[in-house]
Amino acid sequence: MLKILETGLRVTVQDYPGRQGFAHLGIPISGAMDGLALRVANALVGNDETEGGLEFIYKGAKIQFSQDTIFSVCGASANVTLDGNPIDLWSALYAQAGQILDFSFASSGVYSYLAVKGGIDVPKVMGSKSTYATSLQFGGYKGRFLKAGDEVPVGAKVSRSEYEPRKLKTEYIPDYREPAECELMLGSHWDWLTKEDIDLVYSSEFTVSRDSSRLGYRLEGPEFQFSEIAHGKPAATGAFPSNIYDTGYYHGGVNLAGQTLVIFTADYPTAGGYIQPFFIPDCCLWKVAQTNLGGKIKFKRITIDEIKAVREDFENYINPERFE
């Protein structure tokens, strides 16, 4: 068991890649905001990369281990201690029953993850252990954010003889310094913007609105002129150029609501009435997730052929050659 002594900010059980294939029912994928960090944490403790872990936003919880286990904390930089002694992030570590893990507020990045040997022992709902606490409240631990007093079951008991120290090589630890740079591709409604609008997105630096969450990251930046397609659309779709008849949304889609770009993240709305002129591949969304509210982000133009190499690098993060 993991006994929650003090909760952090919106602590949930999440996995990767989340709850796939139910957007047509209005259910987003949920899952880890930073899939890279959770996958690495799982690999370090010997779990399958898809196993569930605990997700923390800015401030982790205070947790007591009820049994000996192997664990790893990956993601946002913070002072994390075991019985008051600082531990290394991005490393596999051993905890004895009764020891207490505690987190300071993150100094760089937003999301961090705790993986334990055997994973979080909660049932899968629609193929995933991920929590969807934003609306319908299901999955994860009782379909909600964790609170003090919760005892979260874990899947394996281990002995010290099973423990082998290892860590992610320093050169592969992600850098969360700002401004973040994230790959961005043209989306399904790119032609509703002018060439100048599109160039402006790639040349500008945006601020992540404090009104952002697991549903989506709202960006503050320049205004758009819109193309003749947008200005000539049927009046019934809405008064603003970015309005359209309701359409399906997708994970990583970049919605343009009025003059505001919104990146659809884990708990995104699955349909709505605004265009999606851009798209961020899911292998790049961890860069968005780790950008602070109020922080800066800019975008890199990338082609389908180029994104294949980015995807390959994302997949290779759990290659044993990257550990030592």
Side-chain angles (χ1 to χ4, degrees):
M1 293 283 187
L2 300 176
K3 185 173 182 179
I4 310 300
L5 303 180
E6 298 175 7
T7 190
L9 299 175
R10 294 177 172 249
V11 181
T12 55
V13 176
Q14 301 294 345
D15 62 15
Y16 176 85
R19 190 167 286 109
Q20 300 283 327
F22 297 97
H24 65 292
L25 300 177
I27 298 172
I29 68 166
S30 298
M33 285 285 284
D34 182 347
L36 185 148
L38 178 57
R39 290 172 64 243
V40 171
N42 272 318
L44 284 167
V45 302
N47 292 342
D48 186 89
E49 63 178 302
T50 63
E51 185 53 73
L54 298 189
E55 178 181 89
F56 311 106
I57 305 175
Y58 282 119
K59 174 70 169 69
K62 188 173 185 179
I63 300 170
Q64 184 175 48
F65 295 102
S66 298
Q67 62 195 53
D68 290 8
T69 192
I70 300 168
F71 74 97
S72 181
V73 177
C74 296
S77 297
N79 179 31
V80 184
T81 61
L82 185 65
D83 281 353
N85 300 308
I87 66 167
D88 292 328
L89 306 184
W90 303 95
S91 301
L93 302 163
Y94 188 81
Q96 294 178 302
Q99 288 193 293
I100 294 175
L101 189 70
D102 199 6
F103 292 72
S104 71
F105 202 86
S107 59
S108 176
V110 178
Y111 289 87
S112 56
Y113 297 86
L114 170 64
V116 296
K117 181 71 173 178
I120 306 298
D121 189 14
V122 295
K124 290 185 177 182
V125 177
M126 295 180 170
S128 173
K129 295 182 179 181
S130 290
T131 310
Y132 181 35
T134 304
S135 177
L136 298 178
Q137 298 184 325
F138 63 82
Y141 181 82
K142 299 182 179 181
R144 59 169 171 79
F145 304 114
L146 299 187
K147 59 185 180 181
D150 285 341
E151 294 186 343
V152 182
V154 296
K157 293 182 179 180
V158 300
S159 63
R160 185 173 285 277
S161 62
E162 299 176 64
Y163 171 58
E164 294 183 7
R166 63 174 179 164
K167 61 183 180 180
L168 184 67
K169 292 179 180 178
T170 302
E171 60 264 35
Y172 295 115
I173 295 176
D175 185 351
Y176 300 142
R177 286 180 298 180
E178 296 176 12
E181 183 178 70
C182 184
E183 293 79 3
L184 182 73
M185 303 177 70
L186 294 180
S188 51
H189 303 104
W190 63 270
D191 54 353
W192 287 52
L193 297 179
T194 66
K195 179 182 181 302
E196 291 74 20
D197 288 334
I198 293 171
D199 290 342
L200 188 62
V201 169
Y202 287 110
S203 62
S204 297
E205 186 175 272
F206 292 84
T207 300
V208 176
S209 167
R210 298 188 185 278
D211 186 20
S212 297
S213 67
R214 283 179 52 89
L215 283 82
Y217 270 38
R218 300 172 66 89
L219 304 181
E220 299 168 358
E223 293 193 351
F224 304 99
Q225 300 302 311
F226 297 96
S227 70
E228 292 182 3
I229 294 175
H231 288 293
K233 65 183 179 62
T237 61
F240 206 82
S242 64
N243 286 130
I244 55 174
Y245 294 118
D246 277 10
T247 187
Y249 290 159
Y250 42 86
H251 185 226
V254 182
N255 173 265
L256 183 49
Q259 288 284 1
T260 302
L261 289 174
V262 183
I263 303 169
F264 288 143
T265 50
D267 291 337
Y268 69 101
T270 58
Y274 291 103
I275 61 173
Q276 295 174 99
F278 300 100
F279 171 69
I280 298 174
D282 66 340
C283 59
C284 306
L285 281 170
W286 64 270
K287 301 175 184 179
V288 175
Q290 295 292 6
T291 305
N292 280 290
L293 305 187
K296 305 295 184 181
I297 188 169
K298 56 185 180 180
F299 297 105
K300 176 182 178 181
R301 195 187 302 258
I302 193 166
T303 65
I304 291 177
D305 288 338
E306 291 169 333
I307 201 61
K308 292 178 181 177
V310 178
R311 162 66 65 180
E312 183 177 356
D313 184 66
F314 177 82
E315 298 294 342
N316 283 339
Y317 250 88
I318 58 172
N319 189 316
E321 294 180 356
R322 298 199 177 192
F323 297 146
E324 61 182 10

